[in-house]
Amino acid sequence: MISAILVKKSCGVRGARQLSVKFRPQYGAFINGKEVFPESKEFFKVYAPATDEVLCEVASTDKKALDDAVNAADKVYQSGVWSRSDVRYRADVLSKIAVNLREAVPELLELEVAQTGRAVREMKAQVFIKYLAFLEYHLSLIHISEPTRQAEIS
């Protein structure tokens, strides 16, 4: 019940605040660093559970898009650009991702609450804060166990 009330407030039900972030009408799949839309042009709708409002449509990937994603990932893995890079470099990249994710929590929180119907407090504590704490803890272990810092990223 509380989740439904919070989502109604965040989705702009009469007399409640409007979402400060907006969903785009459609989203594709991210393959090899680019957003792509399947040749089938098939999409599924994402609904706000509290209002049954359509928030956006997401591409339903076809076999070609799936094969493209797997092939792109395998090519990057085989190249070693990530898989064979220094552990400290990978930790630095993941640290920057954690910083960016932490800065984006308010926006991501609002979007997730709208599309899942979970309570703001629950979403923040269980998903974002705990995930970030887990990521940052393990990154700190890498930095502590690898005292010589050879790789820096800009």
Side-chain angles (χ1 to χ4, degrees):
M1 179 65 178
I2 293 173
S3 287
I5 292 168
L6 290 170
V7 172
K8 283 181 183 179
K9 286 182 180 178
S10 68
C11 289
V13 173
R14 200 175 96 209
R17 69 181 180 85
Q18 296 290 318
L19 281 172
S20 62
V21 293
K22 300 289 183 206
F23 288 88
R24 293 186 348 231
Q26 291 186 327
Y27 292 89
F30 285 88
I31 300 173
N32 203 20
K34 298 178 187 120
E35 185 176 22
V36 297
F37 293 88
E39 293 173 3
S40 68
K41 308 262 191 262
E42 290 183 34
F43 291 82
F44 61 89
K45 293 178 178 28
V46 177
Y47 293 90
T51 63
D52 211 29
E53 168 192 7
V54 175
L55 297 171
C56 65
E57 293 182 334
V58 177
S60 181
T61 55
D62 51 23
K63 183 178 180 340
K64 181 186 179 318
L66 178 61
D67 288 343
D68 289 347
V70 170
N71 290 334
D74 186 58
K75 185 177 179 181
V76 170
Y77 177 78
Q78 295 299 330
S79 78
V81 72
W82 179 260
S83 59
R84 289 190 288 264
S85 64
D86 185 82
V87 69
R88 293 171 297 260
Y89 171 77
R90 293 188 307 220
D92 285 343
V93 171
L94 293 173
S95 291
K96 289 197 178 276
I97 290 170
V99 167
N100 291 334
L101 186 58
R102 185 171 293 284
E103 290 171 359
V105 163
E107 179 180 355
L108 295 172
L109 181 66
E110 193 168 0
L111 292 170
E112 281 299 301
V113 167
Q115 72 174 340
T116 64
R118 291 178 74 182
V120 172
R121 180 177 56 211
E122 178 185 350
M123 184 66 72
K124 187 175 185 180
Q126 289 185 352
V127 177
F128 292 110
I129 303 305
K130 285 191 176 183
Y131 170 73
L132 283 166
F134 176 84
L135 178 60
E136 290 165 344
Y137 169 76
H138 287 282
L139 288 169
S140 69
L141 291 178
I142 292 170
H143 290 302
I144 289 169
S145 65
E146 299 287 343
T148 57
R149 311 273 304 170
Q150 295 175 355
E152 293 295 325
I153 62 173
S154 54

